[in-house]
Amino acid sequence: MQRIRLRYTKRGRLRFTSHRDFQRAFERALRRAEVPMAYSAGFTPHPKVSYANAAPTGVGSEAEYLEIGLAQFRDPEMLRALLDESLPAGLDVIEAVEARTSGLADRLEASVWQLRLDGVEPAVARQAVAAFLAADTVEVQRSTKNGIRTFDCRAAVTRFEVVEGDGAAGDLADTTREGADRPQDQACAILRLVVRHLTPAVRPDDVLSGLHATADLAPPVPAAVTRLAQGPLDEDTGTVTDPLAPDRDAVAVPAGSA
């Protein structure tokens, strides 16, 4: 069985698709592209698709990952192009590599998030971020199926800053602006943070709740949130690295070489 790992995006209005919505769309794309899927054994066989750490509904992402198992060999790049063509614009398959190592999900140790706060002055956002980082703990509450849960969201945040305008976001500026959905002629603060994947998971809206708790920061409109990256966390630099790099490196180094 050949295993292929894919990186895909959720852009524009497609950020409002739930994970279940994406699963249905992706399974349709597999059939439309005539991908020779491998299936599980048992009375109700299912195509071998493994999803890893999907972004919440309403959140954009440049770095979602999944793995599929194939019954026949396919060129990863050709497969990527076929699947991308079979998915709606906004759900874009932008990378495919053959899985040559184990533990993709285990490599997703942290995420880089970008939060666009329209109506918030950057100077005010800097003060709020400084207050958040200065706190030893920042307790927030989240409603769960078992009731209200209180937890610390500060420990998961390893890096937090205000970046200078849309230009600092580079080519990803449009993913946080969301086109005509966002006003362009008012104050705007863009926050970027690195969040460890802990239990319970700390989400961007939890950090926003933490900013409100520590600095009384409450954006007048909902934040536009985009995941820019997820993968291994480099403890020395505080950066998130590429989780598909080990698979590419395994291809570059021939088997049996020193």
Side-chain angles (χ1 to χ4, degrees), residues 10-12 15 59-62 112-118 163 165-184 188-192 222-228:
K10 287 174 60 181
R11 294 170 173 162
R15 70 191 187 277
V59 170
S61 179
E62 293 294 308
V112 181
W113 295 100
Q114 187 158 286
L115 285 62
R116 179 185 173 96
L117 308 183
D118 287 298
V163 297
D166 281 352
D171 294 337
L172 295 170
D174 288 339
T175 68
T176 54
R177 186 182 292 115
E178 303 298 354
D181 291 352
R182 295 282 160 176
Q184 303 301 310
C188 173
I190 297 179
L191 282 54
R192 196 170 295 174
V225 181
T226 303
R227 173 151 52 195
L228 302 184

Side-chain angles (χ1 to χ4, degrees), residues 28-52:
R28 285 196 297 269
L30 289 171
R31 293 192 294 271
R32 193 173 297 123
E34 298 182 343
V35 177
M37 293 297 298
Y39 282 79
S40 61
F43 292 105
T44 56
H46 297 285
K48 291 195 173 183
V49 183
S50 298
Y51 301 91

Side-chain angles (χ1 to χ4, degrees), residues 72-222:
Q72 300 173 20
F73 179 86
R74 288 293 185 270
D75 176 75
E77 178 54 28
M78 291 182 64
L79 179 66
R80 183 207 67 77
L82 284 171
L83 287 172
D84 186 53
E85 185 179 336
S86 301
L87 284 166
L91 298 178
D92 304 315
V93 182
I94 58 176
E95 195 170 4
V97 300
E98 185 169 3
R100 295 177 178 268
T101 61
S102 60
L104 173 63
D106 293 337
R107 290 181 216 150
L108 303 182
E109 298 173 343
S111 289
V112 181
W113 295 100
Q114 187 158 286
L115 285 62
R116 179 185 173 96
L117 308 183
D118 287 298
V120 176
E121 294 287 349
V124 173
R126 288 190 190 91
Q127 293 176 353
V129 168
F132 181 94
L133 291 174
D136 293 328
T137 60
V138 179
E139 289 194 344
V140 297
Q141 292 185 329
R142 183 193 301 163
S143 178
T144 70
K145 63 181 180 181
N146 296 321
I148 300 297
R149 183 171 188 176
T150 301
F151 60 96
D152 174 30
C153 72
R154 173 64 185 87
V157 179
T158 66
R159 191 170 181 177
F160 203 179
E161 61 186 336
V162 179
V163 297
E164 297 296 333
D166 281 352
D171 294 337
L172 295 170
D174 288 339
T175 68
T176 54
R177 186 182 292 115
E178 303 298 354
D181 291 352
R182 295 282 160 176
Q184 303 301 310
D185 57 352
Q186 66 175 19
C188 173
I190 297 179
L191 282 54
R192 196 170 295 174
L193 61 157
V194 176
V195 180
R196 293 179 186 271
H197 298 165
L198 303 179
T199 303
V202 173
R203 305 182 306 208
D205 56 323
D206 298 320
V207 177
L208 288 170
S209 297
L211 290 174
H212 185 265
T214 56
D216 199 29
L217 178 65
V221 296

